[in-house]
Amino acid sequence: MKELIFEKLKKIDVIVFFIALFLIIFSIFNIYSASYHEFSNLYIKQIIFAVFSFFIILTTTFLFDYRWLSSVSFYLYGLGIFLLVLVKFIGTTILGAKRWINLGFFQLQPSEVMKSIMIFFSANYISSSKLPLSFKDFLKLMLFSSIPFVLIYTQPDLGSGIMLLLPVFAMVFLAGFKLRYIIGFALVLVLISPLVWTHLKDYQKNRIIAILNPEADPKGTAYHIIQSKIAIGSGMLTGKGYLQGSQSKYYFLPEQHTDFIFATIGEEWGFVVSFLLVSLYLVLSLRIFFIGRQLKDMFGKFICYGVASLIAFQSFINIAMNLAIAPVVGVPLPFLSYGGTALIMFSFLIGLVLNISYINSKQSFQLYTENIGDY
């Protein structure tokens, strides 16, 4: 049995596995540093989430078959919509946003679940369509995407809504959707941007204005990004040292264990570790994209494209908002920010990528041995 487990572990993609494992373990240390002076037990919860996430990665990799998702993706889409509607009625409100369903032992965030479901759903839709994707198929996919987007936007949670759409756009682009349609769609977005602006809530407009002119309201809407920049800048090359961050420990830096965990890392670990962390996200995304590119199975291929783009976009936007070059939109840093639902769903997606790689490598090996036998 022991030998069998090690034999299976040898066949998984070690780059994806170990980067995800490192990020999950690294998150425990940084959430402890960012929260122990304010919350006594958050890091313990994160340890429990981390152990559970490791279990999810292994079971999804070896005891699951990703092809099953193809037959149930439409039902999962319906379940995701049901959960988002349910939030409207029985959701828990925190800081003015109703995004969670209290299960007693766990706060479920349906928008995080819906991001993954949209990847399965879009991969199934694209893989069963004629490629390159037609304009009609594109519009259908946009219609299916817009329903969960509107439900998430009204929670309100614009950041999660955007993160639901971006992987779908990436998958459509990689499905060979004609460039002229993409340019036309972008022009339409530019033309309707004044209309979109009028429908944004006041705090959302202020966050965009804060990026352009942070000095206009340094103690109000620009407070988060100014404190974040100070924390990252004060870390300099090698940081102030673990548990030594003054911006975080003296309560200057808000949401330091969730959306602004990167600023905590920048302050205590410095530029070198921060740069390595950004590099890890880049390597992880490119490696998953590369796995997808090697596949002949279109469903698995587009799941990999969706997962790679979700990790790349979400980490980029979170780090950009920590560096004050993007508005604060409440997007957690994958694997590192505190939050059970997000960590569990990203772990499931990593397990799914490893499962896709494992099953397809096994099939390739069998095909190879059969061909050898013919000679």
Side-chain angles (χ1 to χ4, degrees), residues 347-360:
S347 299
F348 175 68
L349 291 176
I350 289 296
L352 197 60
V353 168
L354 294 173
N355 179 258
I356 291 168
S357 172
Y358 177 68
I359 287 178
N360 283 278

Side-chain angles (χ1 to χ4, degrees), residues 57 82 106 118 124-125 206 243 265 271 341 364 371:
I57 291 175
F82 172 74
F106 182 65
M118 272 314 298
N124 184 51
Y125 187 90
N206 290 335
L243 304 179
I265 293 169
F271 172 79
T341 311
S364 300
N371 289 336

Side-chain angles (χ1 to χ4, degrees), residues 308-328:
S309 56
L310 177 63
I311 292 173
F313 283 129
Q314 187 153 327
S315 53
F316 172 78
I317 289 176
N318 176 278
I319 292 169
M321 105 191 166
N322 274 255
L323 294 170
I325 55 177
V328 178

